[in-house]
Amino acid sequence: MNHLAAHLAWPRVKALATANAWALLPIGSTEAHGPHLPLNVDVVIAQEVCRRVGLVHETVEFPAVTYSLTDFAAPFAGTVSLAAETAKAMLVNVIRGIGSAGFGRICVINHHLEPAHFKVVHAAATEAGTGATFRVVVPDHRRKPTGPLLGDEFMHGGSHAGSYETSLMLAAAPQLVNDEARRALPSLNVDLPGAIKAGATNFLEAGGPEAYFGAPADASAAEGQRLFEIITRATLDAMNG
Ligand SMILES: [Zn+2]
């Protein structure tokens, strides 16, 4: 069962930690996700993965990290980006704070996929877990074998606000998707990872003038369910590993 830490009094949190529940830390961002999706897409996805993990394990989900390093979406209204050192320091403090309740294992569930940000997440988890009384796990669904299962668009183009994220949103929070807008969007076949490697520093430079890539019009709730099942399985595997 997944317990929301924010809704619990401290003795209950302590009891769950002592009973060896997993602590979960969802991480997202506040950033532009095309003209059809809200700013909190990554948070919604991370929290939905927490909920699904909680169907298998006893879990305590901590309040999400909603501000992160998000330089790529910075040119678009509503995006709020932290400097890397600020983001890292905050994550180290949050993870240590969670661990201080007595949790023996913490799973950091990150769904803001900007490479520099994911690097910060891994570094913060390593720093917080070094010499600690708790173990920190960071599932990384970009990697093999999971990444390729999430589709060609995920690997080579539209992992930002394309069919992948739009499908996940249609499955988890359809009321937050502007369906009319997303159906009208032409698909944008940009190799985002390639553009980043070639030196693009934001979505405009990468060829995404509306802060989306890929094919939002191709998204569906059924595909979102399929993707969530793959991501959840990978997350559970990482927790068991
Ligand atoms: Zn996203």
Side-chain angles (χ1 to χ4, degrees):
M1 178 178 177
N2 188 30
H3 306 268
L4 297 179
H7 296 177
L8 302 177
W10 71 264
R12 184 81 178 112
V13 175
K14 190 175 179 188
L16 285 161
T18 306
N20 205 26
W22 276 94
L24 305 180
L25 177 63
I27 300 179
S29 63
T30 299
E31 67 165 348
H33 274 82
H36 61 302
L37 293 174
L39 301 177
N40 71 342
V41 163
D42 302 341
V43 178
V44 170
I45 294 170
Q47 288 178 324
E48 174 63 12
V49 174
C50 290
R51 188 187 71 76
R52 288 171 182 250
V53 166
L55 300 175
V56 176
H57 291 296
E58 191 78 348
T59 53
V60 180
E61 177 189 332
F62 276 76
V65 172
T66 57
Y67 293 106
S68 295
L69 186 171
T70 166
D71 289 341
F72 273 80
F76 299 91
T79 300
V80 179
S81 186
L82 300 184
E85 63 269 24
T86 308
K88 185 177 161 207
M90 180 182 66
L91 288 177
V92 169
N93 278 266
V94 171
I95 293 167
R96 285 189 179 146
I98 292 169
S100 71
F103 289 98
R105 38 196 195 169
I106 300 171
C107 186
V108 174
I109 297 184
N110 173 52
H111 281 272
H112 172 44
L113 302 180
E114 188 161 329
H117 164 78
F118 222 140
K119 209 169 137 190
V120 163
V121 173
H122 282 294
T126 300
E127 187 172 324
T130 301
T133 54
F134 50 84
R135 183 165 70 92
V136 187
V137 174
V138 184
D140 192 335
H141 61 294
R142 300 170 305 172
R143 293 179 180 167
K144 286 179 185 164
T146 308
L149 298 176
L150 299 172
D152 232 40
E153 192 209 64
F154 177 82
M155 293 302 285
H156 303 294
S159 61
H160 188 84
S163 172
Y164 168 79
E165 281 188 321
T166 306
S167 293
L168 291 171
M169 287 299 286
L170 286 171
Q175 73 281 8
L176 297 179
V177 180
N178 183 334
D179 212 43
E180 205 179 322
R182 71 110 185 157
R183 283 176 193 279
L185 290 174
S187 76
L188 201 53
N189 295 313
V190 171
D191 178 356
L192 187 53
I196 293 172
K197 278 197 189 113
T201 60
N202 61 49
F203 289 147
L204 288 176
E205 290 176 8
E210 292 190 84
Y212 80 91
F213 296 87
D218 292 350
S220 73
E223 171 67 359
Q225 289 293 347
R226 190 186 77 84
L227 294 168
F228 269 124
E229 279 163 27
I230 294 167
I231 294 166
T232 305
R233 171 51 45 205
T235 305
L236 290 167
D237 286 348
M239 292 167 78
N240 293 334

